Amino acid sequence: MTPDESTPRRGRLTVYLGAAPGVGKTYAMLDEAHRRLSRGTDVVVGLVESHGRLATAAQLEGLEVLPRRVLVHRDSEFTELDVEAVLARSPQVVMVDELAHTNVPGSRHAKRWQDVHDLLDAGIDVVTTVNVQHLESLNDDVEAITGVKQRETVPDHVVRDADQIQLVDLPPEALRRRLAHGNVYRAEQIDASLTQYFRVGNLTALRELALLWLADRVDDALASYRRDHSISSPWPARERVVVAVTGGPEGDTLLRRGARIAQRAAGSELVAVHVLATDGLPSAPPARIAEQRRLVESLGGTFHTVVGEDVASGVVDFARGVNATMIVVGVSRRSRWREALRESNGTEIARLAGVIDVHLVTHERARSGRALPGRGSALSGPRRLGGWVAALVGPVLLTLVLSAMRDVVSLPTELMLFLALTVLVALIGGLWPAIVSAVIGFVLLNWFFTIPTGHLTIAEPENALALTVFVLVAAGVASVVDLAARRTAEAFRARAEASALAAASRSVLSGEDTAAALVARLRETFTLEAVALLARRGSSWDVLAADGNDPAVTPDGAQAVLVVDDDRVLALTGRVLPASDRRVLEAFASQLGVVLEHDRLRAQAEQARILGEADATRTALLAAVSHDLRTPLATIRASVDGLGLDLSESDRAVLVGTLADSTARLERLIDNLLDLSRLQTGSVRPVLRATSLEEVVPFAVEGYPLVVLDVPEDLPLVLTDPGLLERVLANLVSNAVRHAPAGRPVVVSAAVVGRGIVVRVVDDGPGIPDELKGHMFDAFQRLGDTTGNGLGLGLAVAEGLATAVGAEVAAEDTPGGGLTMLVTVPLAAS
């Protein structure tokens, strides 16, 4: 079976997008239906809203219209798209009006666009309509323009992913004329519509929103086409101006010039790019780059930072990637003789740009001359100083030694010794001290050891060749030694960076590091004065985490700013960091973003857990209340009704007793519910004081005749809230009495144990299996109790109230069978 046969064909979606109501979307959709029908296509109308417009209703003639589904909601009948009927009919094409419509409750889906997706999945082509004000991303903009909040919206991706989008548009004046002629709304609605929603300004703004939104979609489609067909050369479909900024003072001039060029054509874009080169040259000050970023944003453009092997290739690659039509670059600040030695960035960009236009802008600092940035040495300062001392002093000392040994050594030996000295200087101080040492050695060898001595002339060609080879070999060896030193330093640095990033990644993935810990590690790793994590809050900034002395509280006060996400940045204060450090810093920023995302997800998970527990509590409460509260209420009502009858005194006494028992039971249930509510909302506020158990225990067991008290009178005072502790003991005693065998007493005793008093409530009932003891303090847990005399809240409330007063509740088995509840109350200070 071929892939086409095994995979069902998905239908094609065509959307008629209107700039405003009344532009003729539905009319155009039905006109499309007639054209397809004339070509032999099986077309049906699934749902069309004519809104009383005669021209639209006339378009339905000659088309097959499927019946709608009738739904009843709030005693009113509504009609909706009958998806099942369309699927059963299985046409090639179906017309479905108003894609953003919200379906009546009881429909197949909540939104009509979901119904459309079902039809597309079934292989049916769908033609539909939607107005720009119903696009979800534009909803706030439309409300700001028109003052009307659109309550029916459709996600942008639903329309953006359509196979074809047709814009249905009318000039504002033409639409207002159509409205005035009664072709859109009824006569009584015309005046209000013309003076409110359908003002010329509103219609113009909505029209622009529709055109811009559709232009973005077309731009995405063009980029996708170029990517799918491997087209790397730019297509100038839209004017897109890329301004190359280096962080120099001329950047402001370039950005303003680029903005003026972009403003010449409607829909043009201004894009600024700063290249972080990997050639080892120092980068621009981050504060200056931040200033130029703000300038670009104020001009309506976007700012991008990219990494490239060199500035010119990085700019051109970026321009090709964004399909730019022009690159704006400044005239080089180098002097002419330096530019003769090395091609300027502007010239190299023009050479590499190909079909992209390059606009070279002069400025006041052009040709002003500037020193070529030097490559930072991989050697420490003391080593470089030692190398220069060895380069200047070493050849002189070696010359003195060899002069004393003139009769012993020959010129080849002297050349080898001077070469060894040059290698030693290269090992100590690097390339340039070694070159100087080689030049000095060449002069000294020529003057003192090459015939004729005392002159800078060489008599023998062989000696001239030897000296020349000496200089070349010395320079080559020095270069190799210097390169090896640089590579070694880079390797150590790369290992340190990898180690730092690996440690950060491990801590982030394991969940050990918080944002504050990662900020502190960042400052320590890069030896910065201060690092602050800032979050945008309107026009101000909040400090989420900071480390170091005097951290910046706004991005403007920092020397470097790293973007973590759309709303958070890292503000760095201290030394100016080279471009190589920024790569690692950006990795740290990414890790910090992961930490913040983990924190957000953990917070959401915790909130979901709390909501889940609350929902489970509500569900259990409703289930329990519906039964357990109704039982005493029914008993009370029956007893009250019975008291109205002609009964004997004994029967009346029985009913009164039943009424009293049911009322007491209902009161206990309500008390437990209120206590549970107070515990869950955190509204329990205990007042702790020194209390005697004689004030608490007798009241807790009042009303239970089969309770034996064993509480000594000389017990010390406890620190508790008497009222809340009484509720704890009352719930435990009630639970024990309910489970104790008939006629068997419940024993309540108290004794000093350690630094507290333990109150024991002992019953001889069935007890609780060990596997259920872990859940005995959960709400609505009856643990095998089938008497129906409670909600299963007694132990949960007792444990919660005990915790509130600083006591502890535990359970253990009663010897011989049963359950013993232990309440440990702390002693009051003597």
Side-chain angles (χ1 to χ4, degrees):
M1 181 178 293
T2 65
D4 290 341
E5 295 172 342
S6 61
T7 304
R9 170 190 174 273
R10 179 175 171 82
R12 292 176 56 83
L13 177 62
T14 300
V15 176
Y16 281 87
L17 176 66
V23 294
K25 305 178 304 300
T26 305
Y27 189 95
M29 179 185 72
L30 295 176
D31 191 50
E32 172 73 12
H34 282 286
R35 286 197 302 271
R36 296 198 183 199
L37 185 62
S38 65
R39 295 196 297 265
T41 305
D42 183 15
V43 179
V44 300
V45 175
L47 186 144
V48 162
E49 299 288 357
S50 64
H51 298 290
R53 298 164 190 167
L54 299 179
T56 303
Q59 282 285 84
L60 290 171
E61 295 181 5
L63 297 174
E64 179 184 351
V65 180
L66 296 181
R68 303 187 185 189
R69 183 183 180 188
V70 179
L71 296 169
V72 178
H73 178 62
R74 294 180 179 177
D75 300 327
S76 299
E77 286 191 354
F78 299 88
T79 59
E80 296 288 358
L81 173 67
D82 194 336
V83 180
E84 286 75 11
V86 177
L87 294 174
R89 171 64 173 77
S90 188
Q92 290 179 279
V93 183
V94 61
M95 304 290 153
V96 180
D97 206 6
E98 297 185 358
L99 182 65
H101 172 74
T102 300
N103 293 329
V104 174
S107 301
R108 181 187 182 104
H109 294 294
K111 303 289 290 188
R112 185 166 292 166
W113 64 264
Q114 297 171 312
D115 296 336
V116 167
H117 269 207
D118 286 353
L119 300 179
L120 295 173
D121 291 339
I124 301 173
D125 293 348
V126 178
V127 182
T128 187
T129 65
V130 70
N131 278 330
V132 68
Q133 66 263 30
H134 294 297
L135 294 174
E136 197 166 273
S137 67
L138 301 179
N139 193 255
D140 292 338
D141 296 332
V142 172
E143 182 181 7
I145 293 169
T146 65
V148 178
K149 178 72 173 179
Q150 299 294 333
R151 304 195 178 279
E152 292 189 327
T153 61
V154 59
D156 285 46
H157 71 84
V158 175
V159 182
R160 190 179 293 274
D161 294 341
D163 298 278
Q164 185 176 0
I165 302 177
Q166 295 281 353
L167 180 64
V168 183
D169 185 26
L170 270 182
E173 293 298 339
L175 180 55
R176 285 170 60 85
R177 283 196 300 272
R178 176 181 288 183
L179 183 68
H181 293 160
N183 296 329
V184 179
Y185 294 140
R186 295 189 301 272
E188 61 270 18
Q189 297 177 291
I190 293 176
D191 290 340
S193 299
L194 286 173
T195 57
Q196 295 177 8
Y197 193 91
F198 286 84
R199 296 196 301 268
V200 173
N202 289 358
L203 297 177
T204 304
L206 292 174
R207 191 183 189 196
E208 182 179 15
L209 280 179
L211 291 171
L212 291 176
W213 188 91
L214 188 59
D216 288 339
R217 197 272 181 184
V218 172
D219 201 42
D220 293 342
L222 179 61
S224 177
Y225 180 85
R226 294 177 64 237
R227 182 174 59 253
D228 295 342
H229 291 79
S230 302
I231 300 173
S232 59
S233 60
W235 282 8
R238 176 193 290 195
E239 192 74 21
R240 187 173 284 112
V241 180
V242 171
V243 181
V245 294
T246 62
E250 75 281 359
D252 295 357
T253 302
L254 301 183
L255 291 172
R256 292 189 178 94
R257 178 64 61 83
R260 289 199 299 271
I261 294 173
Q263 290 169 0
R264 295 173 184 171
S268 297
E269 292 184 19
L270 174 66
V271 182
V273 60
H274 173 64
V275 178
L276 292 175
T278 59
D279 54 8
L281 299 180
S283 62
R288 185 62 182 164
I289 295 297
E291 291 177 7
Q292 293 183 350
R293 179 189 296 273
R294 288 191 292 272
L295 176 59
V296 171
E297 293 173 352
S298 68
L299 294 172
T302 57
F303 191 96
H304 303 266
T305 301
V306 298
V307 178
E309 294 183 359
D310 60 81
V311 173
S313 61
V315 169
V316 174
D317 291 343
F318 175 82
R320 288 176 178 155
V322 299
N323 199 23
T325 56
M326 178 180 293
I327 300 175
V328 176
V329 64
V331 174
S332 175
R333 284 185 285 153
R334 298 176 188 165
S335 60
R336 293 187 180 278
W337 69 269
R338 280 184 174 149
E339 191 170 343
L341 295 176
R342 181 182 177 184
E343 194 175 46
S344 68
N345 288 329
T347 304
E348 192 171 356
I349 288 173
R351 179 174 56 82
L352 298 174
V355 298
I356 305 176
D357 295 339
V358 177
H359 189 81
L360 199 61
V361 178
T362 187
H363 49 87
E364 60 182 10
R365 294 179 178 268
R367 309 295 184 190
S368 59
R370 67 171 181 178
L372 290 172
R375 297 183 348 181
S377 175
L379 304 176
S380 63
R383 283 190 61 180
R384 294 198 302 271
L385 178 61
W388 282 110
V389 171
L392 299 175
V393 178
V396 176
L397 295 177
L398 182 59
T399 299
L400 294 175
V401 172
L402 292 178
S403 296
M405 303 172 60
R406 188 182 300 273
D407 297 334
V408 179
V409 295
S410 60
L411 181 60
T413 303
E414 293 162 348
L415 288 172
M416 293 301 297
L417 291 175
F418 269 95
L419 180 60
L421 175 62
T422 301
V423 172
L424 178 63
V425 171
L427 291 174
I428 298 174
L431 177 61
W432 289 109
I435 295 296
V436 172
S437 176
V439 172
I440 295 175
F442 172 82
V443 174
L444 294 177
L445 282 168
N446 191 1
W447 184 273
F448 290 101
F449 303 107
T450 305
I451 299 174
T453 58
H455 300 279
L456 292 178
T457 58
I458 303 173
E460 297 293 336
E462 183 180 354
N463 293 339
L465 178 62
L467 289 174
T468 303
V469 170
F470 160 72
V471 173
L472 294 177
V473 171
V477 171
S479 298
V480 171
V481 171
D482 180 72
L483 182 61
R486 290 180 182 277
R487 292 292 180 265
T488 302
E490 290 173 0
F492 279 117
R493 181 181 183 84
R495 186 173 67 180
E497 292 174 353
S499 176
L501 290 177
S505 299
R506 283 195 300 269
S507 61
V508 168
L509 293 176
S510 63
E512 298 174 359
D513 260 1
T514 62
L518 204 58
V519 165
R521 179 177 295 180
L522 177 61
R523 187 191 69 82
E524 178 183 357
T525 302
F526 292 94
T527 62
L528 298 168
E529 292 181 6
V531 177
L533 174 62
L534 308 178
R536 190 191 307 273
R537 186 180 297 277
S539 59
S540 61
W541 294 86
D542 289 343
V543 179
L544 300 182
D547 188 72
N549 299 322
D550 193 21
V553 295
T554 65
D556 295 339
Q559 290 181 313
V561 177
L562 287 175
V563 176
V564 177
D565 54 34
D566 293 340
D567 297 319
R568 287 176 284 244
V569 298
L570 276 172
L572 314 179
T573 305
R575 63 188 180 92
V576 177
L577 298 172
S580 56
D581 280 345
R582 288 189 64 89
R583 295 193 296 273
V584 185
L585 283 169
E586 289 174 355
F588 262 92
S590 299
Q591 297 291 346
L592 190 56
V594 173
V595 170
L596 295 173
E597 182 66 13
H598 281 181
D599 291 342
R600 185 184 67 82
L601 293 176
R602 278 196 295 267
Q604 287 184 347
E606 178 62 19
Q607 184 179 12
R609 184 188 66 79
I610 295 174
L611 292 175
E613 291 179 355
D615 185 66
T617 300
R618 281 195 301 271
T619 302
L621 177 62
L622 290 174
V625 167
S626 63
H627 176 269
D628 292 280
L629 287 183
R630 182 174 297 174
T631 300
L633 284 174
T635 304
I636 291 172
R637 180 168 183 174
S639 298
V640 171
D641 292 341
L643 290 174
L645 302 175
D646 185 14
L647 301 174
S648 64
E649 288 299 325
S650 59
D651 292 338
R652 186 176 297 274
V654 170
L655 287 179
V656 170
T658 302
L659 186 62
D661 292 341
S662 298
T663 303
R665 177 183 170 190
L666 182 61
E667 184 180 8
R668 287 195 301 272
L669 292 175
I670 293 175
D671 285 343
N672 280 335
L673 287 173
L674 292 176
D675 288 339
L676 180 65
S677 175
R678 293 167 60 200
L679 288 170
Q680 289 186 338
T681 58
S683 59
V684 176
R685 298 290 185 269
V687 179
L688 304 181
R689 62 180 177 86
T691 305
S692 171
L693 287 182
E694 293 182 354
E695 302 177 35
V696 178
V697 178
F699 294 103
V701 302
E702 188 177 6
Y704 298 105
L706 292 179
V707 175
V708 177
L709 287 181
D710 183 14
V711 180
E713 297 180 356
D714 58 349
L715 288 175
L717 301 180
V718 295
L719 183 64
T720 187
D721 183 311
L724 295 181
L725 182 61
E726 179 188 335
R727 297 285 301 132
V728 173
L729 296 177
N731 278 4
L732 296 181
V733 171
S734 173
N735 187 72
V737 170
R738 188 166 62 251
H739 291 89
R744 300 291 296 273
V746 172
V747 179
V748 179
S749 62
V752 178
V753 178
R755 303 179 64 179
I757 293 180
V758 177
V759 181
R760 305 168 65 89
V761 180
V762 184
D763 70 69
D764 298 326
I768 296 178
D770 292 337
E771 62 270 16
L772 296 180
K773 287 180 180 177
H775 302 284
M776 64 185 301
F777 294 112
D778 294 343
F780 307 106
Q781 299 293 323
R782 297 192 181 184
L783 303 180
D785 180 15
T786 59
T787 63
N789 293 327
L791 294 173
L793 295 178
L795 294 181
V797 171
E799 196 268 343
L801 294 177
T803 301
V805 300
E808 295 180 2
V809 179
E812 62 181 26
D813 294 330
T814 301
L819 185 69
T820 299
M821 302 299 300
L822 294 85
V823 182
T824 303
V825 189
L827 295 174
S830 59

